[in-house]
Amino acid sequence: MSKDQQSFEEMMQELEKIVQKLDNETVSLEESLELYQRGMKLSATCDATLKDAENKVNQLIKDEAEDEDNDKDVNE
């Protein structure tokens, strides 16, 4: 899977590795900047994925509530 097609879980694992590397290892300034940039991209992508999932859940809840309201109107 390419970096653009990683699952949410894979992105989170990569992000954790980046944070550990930045915290625990001696890395050059250039590598630190590259890791930081990659981490920021991963973070933004994960955030967008979570917001999309939240919107889908909210839409499902809304649709279910509308279906229940329609069922009540039919039964009355």
Side-chain angles (χ1 to χ4, degrees):
M1 206 175 257
S2 74
K3 288 184 177 185
D4 293 337
Q5 297 175 338
Q6 288 177 296
S7 71
F8 178 80
E9 291 78 11
E10 290 169 333
M11 289 187 289
M12 288 300 295
Q13 288 175 350
E14 184 180 351
L15 193 53
E16 285 180 30
K17 288 178 185 176
I18 289 171
V19 170
Q20 288 175 353
K21 197 168 197 177
L22 288 171
D23 281 346
N24 299 326
E25 295 183 23
T26 304
V27 292
S28 68
L29 177 61
E30 293 81 12
E31 187 179 2
S32 293
L33 289 172
E34 289 174 13
L35 289 168
Y36 180 79
Q37 288 176 332
R38 178 67 182 149
M40 292 302 294
K41 287 180 183 178
L42 286 168
S43 178
T45 303
C46 287
D47 186 52
T49 301
L50 287 174
K51 285 180 181 176
D52 184 48
E54 181 180 21
N55 289 336
K56 287 178 182 178
V57 169
N58 288 336
Q59 186 62 48
L60 289 170
I61 291 170
K62 181 181 173 187
D63 291 347
E64 184 177 326
E66 289 174 359
D67 288 345
E68 287 177 3
D69 287 344
N70 289 339
D71 288 345
K72 286 180 186 178
D73 291 343
V74 169
N75 291 332
E76 292 178 355

XYZ file of all heavy atoms in Angstrom:
610
model
N 0.847 -1.181 0.000
C 0.000 0.000 0.000
C 0.890 1.240 0.000
O 1.823 1.330 0.773
C -0.878 -0.037 1.264
C -2.177 0.705 1.140
S -3.212 0.504 2.615
C -4.393 -0.675 2.035
N 0.603 2.205 -0.854
C 1.417 3.414 -0.883
C 1.056 4.301 0.298
O 0.035 4.107 0.951
C 1.202 4.162 -2.196
O -0.056 4.806 -2.198
N 1.898 5.299 0.533
C 1.650 6.189 1.667
C 0.326 6.923 1.532
O -0.303 7.260 2.517
C 2.799 7.185 1.820
C 4.060 6.543 2.346
C 5.149 7.558 2.568
C 6.379 6.874 3.159
N 7.428 7.800 3.495
N -0.111 7.182 0.270
C -1.374 7.874 0.054
C -2.575 6.964 0.283
O -3.685 7.448 0.420
C -1.435 8.432 -1.369
C -0.427 9.549 -1.583
O -0.009 10.177 -0.597
O -0.057 9.787 -2.749
N -2.366 5.655 0.317
C -3.469 4.719 0.457
C -3.407 3.961 1.780
O -3.993 2.899 1.907
C -3.458 3.735 -0.707
C -3.675 4.398 -2.049
C -3.544 3.425 -3.198
O -2.918 2.389 -3.080
N -4.132 3.762 -4.326
N -2.709 4.502 2.743
C -2.611 3.833 4.037
C -3.955 3.876 4.756
O -4.712 4.833 4.621
C -1.586 4.534 4.933
C -0.155 4.327 4.535
C 0.771 5.119 5.436
O 0.716 6.332 5.444
N 1.598 4.424 6.184
N -4.209 2.842 5.536
C -5.407 2.857 6.373
C -5.176 3.821 7.539
O -4.047 4.227 7.824
C -5.693 1.455 6.913
O -4.729 1.091 7.888
N -6.253 4.175 8.195
C -6.162 5.063 9.357
C -5.211 4.474 10.393
O -4.360 5.179 10.939
C -7.559 5.275 9.951
C -7.553 6.129 11.183
C -7.481 7.508 11.080
C -7.600 5.550 12.447
C -7.464 8.297 12.219
C -7.589 6.327 13.579
C -7.525 7.707 13.472
N -5.342 3.180 10.637
C -4.509 2.522 11.647
C -3.030 2.554 11.262
O -2.164 2.779 12.116
C -4.968 1.073 11.859
C -6.320 0.936 12.520
C -7.511 1.190 11.584
O -7.323 1.288 10.343
O -8.634 1.315 12.103
N -2.752 2.349 9.974
C -1.360 2.394 9.504
C -0.785 3.800 9.649
O 0.375 3.963 10.044
C -1.271 1.944 8.045
C -1.530 0.473 7.856
C -1.702 0.081 6.403
O -2.127 0.908 5.575
O -1.396 -1.092 6.100
N -1.600 4.803 9.344
C -1.135 6.185 9.501
C -0.855 6.500 10.963
O 0.139 7.160 11.286
C -2.158 7.161 8.931
C -2.236 7.145 7.426
S -3.296 8.426 6.731
C -4.930 7.837 7.208
N -1.716 6.025 11.851
C -1.499 6.275 13.283
C -0.233 5.581 13.768
O 0.525 6.152 14.560
C -2.715 5.804 14.095
C -3.936 6.684 13.918
S -3.685 8.400 14.426
C -3.412 8.198 16.177
N 0.023 4.368 13.297
C 1.248 3.663 13.676
C 2.479 4.410 13.176
O 3.461 4.555 13.907
C 1.240 2.234 13.125
C 0.282 1.317 13.831
C 0.206 -0.066 13.182
O 0.730 -0.289 12.101
N -0.466 -0.988 13.860
N 2.424 4.889 11.943
C 3.556 5.639 11.405
C 3.763 6.925 12.199
O 4.892 7.309 12.510
C 3.347 5.963 9.924
C 4.552 6.661 9.315
C 4.408 6.998 7.844
O 3.426 6.545 7.201
O 5.288 7.709 7.341
N 2.680 7.582 12.546
C 2.761 8.808 13.339
C 3.397 8.535 14.698
O 4.246 9.301 15.167
C 1.362 9.414 13.490
C 1.256 10.827 14.016
C 2.114 11.796 13.227
C -0.198 11.276 13.994
N 3.018 7.427 15.333
C 3.620 7.048 16.615
C 5.123 6.819 16.474
O 5.908 7.241 17.323
C 2.959 5.785 17.170
C 1.586 6.024 17.757
C 0.965 4.744 18.307
O 1.707 3.842 18.752
O -0.270 4.656 18.296
N 5.523 6.158 15.392
C 6.950 5.902 15.157
C 7.709 7.210 14.959
O 8.827 7.364 15.452
C 7.142 4.994 13.944
C 6.728 3.569 14.192
C 6.880 2.722 12.943
C 6.342 1.319 13.164
N 6.386 0.497 11.949
N 7.098 8.140 14.252
C 7.732 9.441 14.041
C 7.929 10.158 15.370
O 9.010 10.688 15.651
C 6.897 10.297 13.064
C 7.015 9.729 11.652
C 7.329 11.760 13.099
C 6.071 10.355 10.643
N 6.902 10.164 16.192
C 6.989 10.826 17.494
C 8.077 10.171 18.344
O 8.897 10.858 18.965
C 5.627 10.806 18.222
C 5.759 11.262 19.669
C 4.623 11.668 17.467
N 8.112 8.840 18.372
C 9.142 8.133 19.146
C 10.531 8.477 18.638
O 11.451 8.695 19.425
C 8.914 6.628 19.082
C 7.722 6.157 19.880
C 7.443 4.674 19.695
O 8.061 4.010 18.867
N 6.499 4.158 20.473
N 10.682 8.505 17.333
C 11.987 8.798 16.746
C 12.438 10.209 17.114
O 13.591 10.435 17.474
C 11.936 8.629 15.228
C 13.268 8.511 14.571
C 13.114 8.054 13.123
C 14.444 7.538 12.623
N 14.374 7.012 11.274
N 11.517 11.145 17.038
C 11.856 12.520 17.384
C 12.147 12.669 18.881
O 12.991 13.472 19.276
C 10.735 13.474 16.966
C 10.590 13.713 15.467
C 9.310 14.491 15.173
C 11.797 14.445 14.905
N 11.463 11.890 19.717
C 11.650 11.971 21.164
C 12.882 11.230 21.665
O 13.550 11.695 22.585
C 10.425 11.409 21.896
C 9.269 12.380 21.943
O 9.476 13.569 21.646
O 8.152 11.937 22.265
N 13.161 10.076 21.085
C 14.139 9.173 21.686
C 15.461 9.054 20.948
O 16.411 8.537 21.500
C 13.531 7.776 21.815
C 12.298 7.773 22.704
O 12.230 8.520 23.662
N 11.332 6.946 22.378
N 15.519 9.476 19.719
C 16.737 9.270 18.952
C 17.385 10.595 18.596
O 16.731 11.627 18.497
C 16.423 8.485 17.668
C 15.939 7.074 17.939
C 15.714 6.300 16.652
O 16.299 6.639 15.631
O 14.936 5.331 16.706
N 18.677 10.524 18.405
C 19.394 11.692 17.932
C 19.292 11.696 16.411
O 19.814 10.821 15.740
C 20.877 11.632 18.346
O 20.945 11.480 19.760
C 21.609 12.873 17.924
N 18.558 12.671 15.899
C 18.389 12.783 14.456
C 18.885 14.154 14.017
O 18.868 15.119 14.786
C 16.916 12.578 14.022
C 16.479 11.160 14.243
C 15.989 13.525 14.740
N 19.325 14.221 12.786
C 19.823 15.487 12.261
C 18.674 16.483 12.121
O 17.497 16.106 12.118
C 20.481 15.264 10.901
O 19.496 14.901 9.946
N 19.044 17.726 11.987
C 18.040 18.773 11.809
C 17.219 18.514 10.553
O 15.987 18.636 10.566
C 18.720 20.149 11.731
C 17.795 21.336 11.472
C 16.765 21.469 12.592
C 18.604 22.608 11.333
N 17.889 18.129 9.482
C 17.190 17.866 8.227
C 16.192 16.722 8.381
O 15.054 16.800 7.924
C 18.190 17.537 7.102
C 19.066 18.699 6.701
C 20.267 18.912 7.633
O 20.574 18.032 8.470
O 20.882 19.977 7.534
N 16.633 15.643 9.022
C 15.734 14.508 9.233
C 14.589 14.890 10.163
O 13.443 14.490 9.947
C 16.484 13.297 9.785
C 15.616 12.065 9.858
C 16.328 10.826 10.369
O 17.517 10.894 10.728
O 15.667 9.765 10.414
N 14.883 15.674 11.182
C 13.834 16.131 12.097
C 12.774 16.921 11.354
O 11.571 16.738 11.583
C 14.429 17.007 13.203
O 15.256 16.276 14.047
N 13.212 17.791 10.446
C 12.261 18.584 9.665
C 11.425 17.697 8.749
O 10.211 17.895 8.625
C 12.991 19.645 8.848
C 13.582 20.801 9.657
C 14.439 21.685 8.765
C 12.483 21.616 10.319
N 12.060 16.715 8.120
C 11.324 15.789 7.254
C 10.309 14.981 8.049
O 9.167 14.803 7.622
C 12.295 14.854 6.535
C 13.115 15.529 5.458
C 14.171 14.613 4.852
O 14.115 13.375 5.092
O 15.053 15.133 4.155
N 10.747 14.492 9.211
C 9.836 13.725 10.063
C 8.678 14.590 10.538
O 7.520 14.147 10.551
C 10.589 13.145 11.266
C 11.554 12.011 10.966
C 12.440 11.726 12.187
C 10.803 10.756 10.555
N 8.982 15.827 10.915
C 7.944 16.737 11.375
C 6.932 17.007 10.266
O 5.715 16.950 10.486
C 8.569 18.050 11.854
C 7.549 19.045 12.337
C 6.980 18.924 13.606
C 7.127 20.098 11.524
C 6.029 19.835 14.041
C 6.177 21.002 11.952
C 5.633 20.864 13.213
O 4.688 21.752 13.642
N 7.421 17.265 9.054
C 6.518 17.517 7.927
C 5.646 16.305 7.633
O 4.435 16.439 7.412
C 7.313 17.901 6.678
C 7.911 19.286 6.757
C 8.774 19.619 5.552
O 9.354 18.749 4.924
N 8.875 20.911 5.245
N 6.238 15.126 7.632
C 5.471 13.900 7.396
C 4.435 13.715 8.503
O 3.278 13.357 8.240
C 6.411 12.679 7.311
C 5.699 11.368 7.123
C 5.018 11.252 5.791
N 4.303 9.983 5.702
C 3.202 9.797 5.004
N 2.700 10.767 4.281
N 2.616 8.627 4.994
N 4.847 13.970 9.730
C 3.923 13.845 10.853
C 2.753 14.801 10.750
O 1.601 14.432 11.041
N 3.013 16.020 10.313
C 1.934 16.995 10.156
C 0.961 16.563 9.055
O -0.250 16.699 9.207
C 2.509 18.387 9.847
C 3.258 18.993 11.017
S 2.257 19.169 12.514
C 1.079 20.387 11.970
N 1.488 16.025 7.956
C 0.617 15.527 6.883
C -0.233 14.361 7.377
O -1.429 14.292 7.102
C 1.446 15.099 5.678
C 2.023 16.245 4.896
C 2.836 15.745 3.718
C 3.487 16.892 2.968
N 4.320 16.429 1.857
N 0.405 13.442 8.101
C -0.344 12.297 8.643
C -1.419 12.762 9.613
O -2.556 12.275 9.581
C 0.609 11.325 9.353
C 1.487 10.472 8.456
C 2.565 9.786 9.291
C 0.664 9.443 7.715
N -1.057 13.698 10.467
C -2.002 14.219 11.450
C -3.211 14.855 10.765
O -4.362 14.616 11.154
C -1.300 15.236 12.346
O -2.197 15.785 13.273
N -2.961 15.649 9.729
C -4.056 16.302 9.006
C -4.939 15.268 8.305
O -6.172 15.387 8.315
C -3.490 17.292 7.992
N -4.327 14.257 7.724
C -5.098 13.216 7.037
C -5.933 12.415 8.032
O -7.105 12.118 7.776
C -4.161 12.284 6.247
O -3.400 13.066 5.328
C -4.937 11.228 5.486
N -5.337 12.078 9.179
C -6.085 11.351 10.212
C -7.246 12.191 10.725
O -8.349 11.680 10.925
C -5.157 10.967 11.367
S -4.009 9.632 10.970
N -7.003 13.475 10.926
C -8.059 14.371 11.391
C -9.206 14.419 10.386
O -10.378 14.323 10.764
C -7.487 15.772 11.620
C -8.497 16.716 12.233
O -9.096 16.365 13.276
O -8.696 17.810 11.673
N -8.874 14.535 9.099
C -9.910 14.557 8.064
C -10.677 13.240 8.023
O -11.903 13.236 7.857
C -9.279 14.852 6.704
N -9.973 12.133 8.190
C -10.617 10.820 8.202
C -11.593 10.703 9.367
O -12.722 10.216 9.207
C -9.561 9.701 8.284
O -8.687 9.803 7.157
C -10.196 8.326 8.306
N -11.172 11.164 10.535
C -12.046 11.119 11.708
C -13.265 12.022 11.538
O -14.385 11.646 11.895
C -11.269 11.519 12.966
C -10.271 10.494 13.480
C -9.461 11.072 14.634
C -10.973 9.216 13.916
N -13.069 13.208 10.983
C -14.197 14.119 10.765
C -15.182 13.532 9.757
O -16.393 13.654 9.931
C -13.696 15.483 10.306
C -13.078 16.285 11.427
C -12.583 17.636 10.968
C -11.952 18.364 12.155
N -11.365 19.645 11.756
N -14.648 12.890 8.718
C -15.513 12.242 7.730
C -16.325 11.122 8.374
O -17.531 10.996 8.132
C -14.667 11.702 6.580
C -15.510 11.112 5.474
O -16.487 11.767 5.046
O -15.199 9.984 5.035
N -15.671 10.325 9.197
C -16.371 9.235 9.884
C -17.440 9.793 10.819
O -18.562 9.265 10.881
C -15.369 8.380 10.661
N -17.123 10.869 11.523
C -18.091 11.491 12.422
C -19.301 12.003 11.642
O -20.456 11.805 12.067
C -17.438 12.643 13.185
C -18.370 13.326 14.161
C -17.716 14.472 14.901
O -16.697 15.010 14.433
O -18.250 14.850 15.965
N -19.053 12.628 10.491
C -20.158 13.113 9.661
C -21.037 11.965 9.175
O -22.263 12.089 9.142
C -19.625 13.917 8.476
C -19.058 15.254 8.887
O -19.409 15.801 9.924
N -18.167 15.790 8.061
N -20.408 10.856 8.794
C -21.179 9.692 8.334
C -22.045 9.135 9.463
O -23.210 8.790 9.258
C -20.243 8.610 7.806
C -19.641 8.951 6.461
C -18.690 7.879 5.992
C -18.056 8.258 4.658
N -17.087 7.260 4.185
N -21.480 9.038 10.653
C -22.244 8.542 11.805
C -23.402 9.480 12.111
O -24.541 9.037 12.335
C -21.329 8.359 13.048
C -22.150 8.121 14.299
C -20.354 7.218 12.812
N -23.130 10.786 12.108
C -24.201 11.751 12.372
C -25.302 11.663 11.325
O -26.484 11.760 11.657
C -23.634 13.173 12.438
C -22.840 13.419 13.695
O -23.035 12.762 14.715
N -21.919 14.358 13.631
N -24.931 11.453 10.060
C -25.931 11.317 9.004
C -26.751 10.043 9.196
O -27.972 10.047 9.007
C -25.273 11.318 7.616
C -26.254 11.324 6.481
C -27.144 12.559 6.462
O -26.652 13.678 6.577
N -28.444 12.370 6.331
N -26.091 8.956 9.582
C -26.818 7.708 9.846
C -27.805 7.879 10.995
O -28.945 7.393 10.925
C -25.834 6.576 10.157
C -25.016 6.063 8.975
C -23.913 5.121 9.470
C -25.904 5.360 7.972
N -27.389 8.566 12.041
C -28.272 8.811 13.189
C -29.464 9.661 12.748
O -30.616 9.374 13.105
C -27.496 9.480 14.341
C -26.499 8.486 14.936
C -28.448 10.013 15.403
C -25.513 9.107 15.906
N -29.188 10.696 11.950
C -30.255 11.564 11.450
C -31.225 10.778 10.573
O -32.440 10.902 10.713
C -29.643 12.723 10.664
C -30.646 13.691 10.113
C -29.959 14.793 9.321
C -30.984 15.664 8.626
N -30.351 16.639 7.733
N -30.676 9.964 9.661
C -31.526 9.153 8.778
C -32.380 8.184 9.575
O -33.563 7.986 9.270
C -30.674 8.380 7.768
C -30.009 9.285 6.738
O -30.383 10.479 6.644
O -29.096 8.790 6.037
N -31.790 7.573 10.603
C -32.543 6.628 11.430
C -33.672 7.336 12.164
O -34.792 6.826 12.251
C -31.609 5.941 12.427
C -32.301 4.876 13.252
C -31.355 4.150 14.180
O -30.182 3.962 13.822
O -31.800 3.771 15.283
N -33.393 8.517 12.679
C -34.427 9.277 13.384
C -35.557 9.654 12.431
O -36.736 9.588 12.789
C -33.819 10.519 14.022
N -35.203 10.044 11.205
C -36.226 10.381 10.212
C -37.058 9.162 9.851
O -38.273 9.260 9.689
C -35.576 10.976 8.969
C -35.027 12.362 9.177
C -34.257 12.894 7.974
O -34.135 12.172 6.960
O -33.774 14.037 8.060
N -36.412 8.002 9.716
C -37.137 6.770 9.419
C -38.113 6.430 10.537
O -39.248 6.013 10.282
C -36.174 5.605 9.197
C -35.424 5.694 7.873
O -35.852 6.495 7.000
O -34.427 4.973 7.717
N -37.677 6.611 11.779
C -38.557 6.335 12.915
C -39.745 7.288 12.919
O -40.878 6.884 13.190
C -37.780 6.436 14.226
C -36.826 5.283 14.454
C -36.005 5.432 15.718
O -36.202 6.401 16.484
O -35.146 4.563 15.952
N -39.499 8.557 12.599
C -40.593 9.532 12.529
C -41.572 9.163 11.421
O -42.790 9.274 11.598
C -40.053 10.953 12.300
C -39.377 11.526 13.529
O -39.568 10.991 14.644
O -38.624 12.523 13.374
N -41.056 8.739 10.277
C -41.923 8.341 9.165
C -42.736 7.106 9.522
O -43.908 6.999 9.163
C -41.101 8.081 7.899
C -40.543 9.349 7.301
O -41.047 10.437 7.554
N -39.483 9.223 6.528
N -42.122 6.155 10.229
C -42.846 4.961 10.666
C -43.981 5.333 11.622
O -45.063 4.757 11.553
C -41.889 3.965 11.340
C -40.962 3.294 10.336
O -41.240 3.370 9.117
O -39.944 2.696 10.775
N -43.749 6.288 12.511
C -44.776 6.711 13.454
C -45.935 7.370 12.704
O -47.091 7.153 13.023
C -44.195 7.710 14.475
C -43.311 7.063 15.502
C -42.768 8.100 16.468
C -41.772 7.492 17.425
N -41.192 8.488 18.331
N -45.601 8.197 11.699
C -46.656 8.864 10.926
C -47.498 7.853 10.156
O -48.728 8.010 10.066
C -46.028 9.864 9.923
C -45.400 11.060 10.615
O -45.713 11.305 11.798
O -44.567 11.756 9.970
N -46.910 6.823 9.632
C -47.636 5.792 8.888
C -48.550 5.003 9.806
O -49.666 4.651 9.447
C -46.640 4.846 8.142
C -47.347 3.638 7.589
C -45.896 5.614 7.066
N -48.106 4.710 11.006
C -48.864 3.918 11.944
C -50.005 4.689 12.620
O -50.871 4.103 13.217
C -47.945 3.335 13.027
C -47.018 2.282 12.471
O -47.346 1.624 11.487
N -45.862 2.123 13.071
N -49.989 5.984 12.510
C -51.033 6.781 13.170
C -52.281 6.904 12.376
O -52.557 6.739 11.329
C -50.500 8.172 13.534
C -49.470 8.112 14.608
C -48.896 9.495 14.946
O -49.234 10.491 14.288
O -48.098 9.558 15.874
